Amino acid sequence: MQVEKYLNEISENQGTVHLTLIDPASQSPDEAAEIALAAANGGTDAIMIGGSTEAGGALLDQTLLKIKERTGIPTILFPANAGGVSAYSDAIFFMSLLNSRDINYITTNQAMGAPMVYKFGIEAISMAYLIIEPGGTVGWVGDAKLIPKNKPEIAVSYSLAGKYLGMHYTYLETGSGADGPAPPEMIKTVKKVLGNNKLLIGGGIRDPETAKKCVMAGADMIVTGTVVEETSDVTAKIEEIVSAVKNR
């Protein structure tokens, strides 16, 4: 089954998709595999791999191979640049940082990475990537013109642009370690214009209450990353978040 179809079916049948983001640069490949296994046991639906400029090359390849040895759930690349492409992933979020001031993050890295995606036969899932304040490291690295949390209409404009450009997914991200995700009003207004296109929310989601608020506002998919690095029991933490957002 194609990964995009798999994710969409979970969204339609269970209400929400949960994705766990693992940065290969944050731990060894074996440790990353243990985190992925624990997250899978907690009910996460897929593993996103990437997130930093150091998450490429042999480290990325080895991390993916180790994760695939330990889990049976899909792996999805979340690259910071063209160096974040690996032949060992099931899919890639082929995204454009639409509110970047640097053309490299809008089209150049995509053009450099596209031939490798084609060569390796990786499933490409098109995504409009938008950075909401405070933005964190990704906002700084991507030179994003941060979308204010109290300006949902700006997020709507960029989201519509992504939709009309043919992107299937839209990701509103406040940055790793943020104090919270995009506010419910922004999520609600963006989801309204996206219609059947899928909306991902990430950044600052550390507990089931926050995750539930995002879902109630319209999020189709929830991304958690920092929380798996901070907790001593990844399975339990993921399980409580997943239980809060799934229709079972």
Side-chain angles (χ1 to χ4, degrees):
M1 180 183 291
Q2 289 186 324
V3 175
E4 183 172 355
K5 182 180 179 183
Y6 161 82
L7 296 177
N8 289 348
E9 288 186 353
I10 292 173
S11 174
E12 290 157 12
N13 296 330
Q14 298 181 29
T16 312
V17 173
H18 182 272
L19 303 171
T20 296
L21 173 61
I22 296 177
D23 186 343
S26 296
Q27 65 284 299
S28 71
D30 285 313
E31 291 168 332
E34 288 299 319
I35 293 172
L37 177 60
N41 290 337
T44 199
D45 297 302
I47 304 295
M48 292 168 60
I49 312 292
S52 76
T53 55
E54 300 173 2
L59 178 61
L60 175 61
D61 290 343
Q62 288 300 313
T63 298
L64 278 162
L65 287 169
K66 290 292 184 180
I67 289 174
K68 293 176 79 67
E69 284 178 6
R70 301 300 305 276
T71 75
I73 60 176
T75 53
I76 308 171
L77 292 169
F78 184 62
N81 51 46
V85 179
S86 169
Y88 302 107
S89 186
D90 298 305
I92 182 171
F93 281 140
F94 200 85
M95 56 195 182
S96 175
L97 179 49
L98 292 184
N99 61 321
S100 176
R101 286 171 281 217
D102 185 343
I103 195 170
N104 287 298
Y105 292 99
I106 303 173
T107 58
T108 306
N109 277 302
Q110 292 77 1
M112 294 174 64
M116 290 184 285
V117 173
Y118 179 79
K119 177 183 177 181
F120 298 147
I122 306 168
E123 178 187 348
I125 303 173
S126 58
M127 175 185 283
Y129 188 34
L130 304 176
I131 307 299
I132 315 300
E133 66 178 8
T137 302
V138 66
W140 184 83
V141 172
D143 194 16
K145 190 173 183 180
L146 301 177
I147 299 174
K149 285 187 173 182
N150 65 345
K151 296 291 182 179
E153 65 274 15
I154 299 177
V156 164
S157 296
Y158 276 107
S159 298
L160 280 173
K163 177 181 178 179
Y164 295 153
L165 284 167
M167 299 170 184
H168 300 171
Y169 287 11
T170 300
Y171 185 9
L172 303 183
E173 155 98 89
T174 53
S176 177
D179 59 0
E185 181 61 26
M186 179 178 288
I187 296 171
K188 179 181 178 180
T189 54
V190 168
K191 180 57 184 175
K192 182 177 180 180
V193 301
L194 287 179
N196 291 329
N197 282 24
K198 302 304 181 185
L199 176 60
L200 288 78
I201 303 297
I205 301 176
R206 297 182 177 85
D207 55 71
E209 293 77 21
T210 302
K212 186 69 173 180
K213 287 180 182 178
C214 293
V215 171
M216 294 299 291
D220 298 296
M221 305 185 190
I222 296 294
V223 180
T224 54
T226 303
V227 69
V228 299
E229 298 176 4
E230 295 177 341
T231 183
S232 59
D233 191 338
V234 173
T235 296
K237 175 58 69 173
I238 295 299
E239 189 172 35
E240 67 175 1
I241 292 174
V242 168
S243 295
V245 300
K246 294 278 190 180
N247 295 332
R248 293 179 174 176

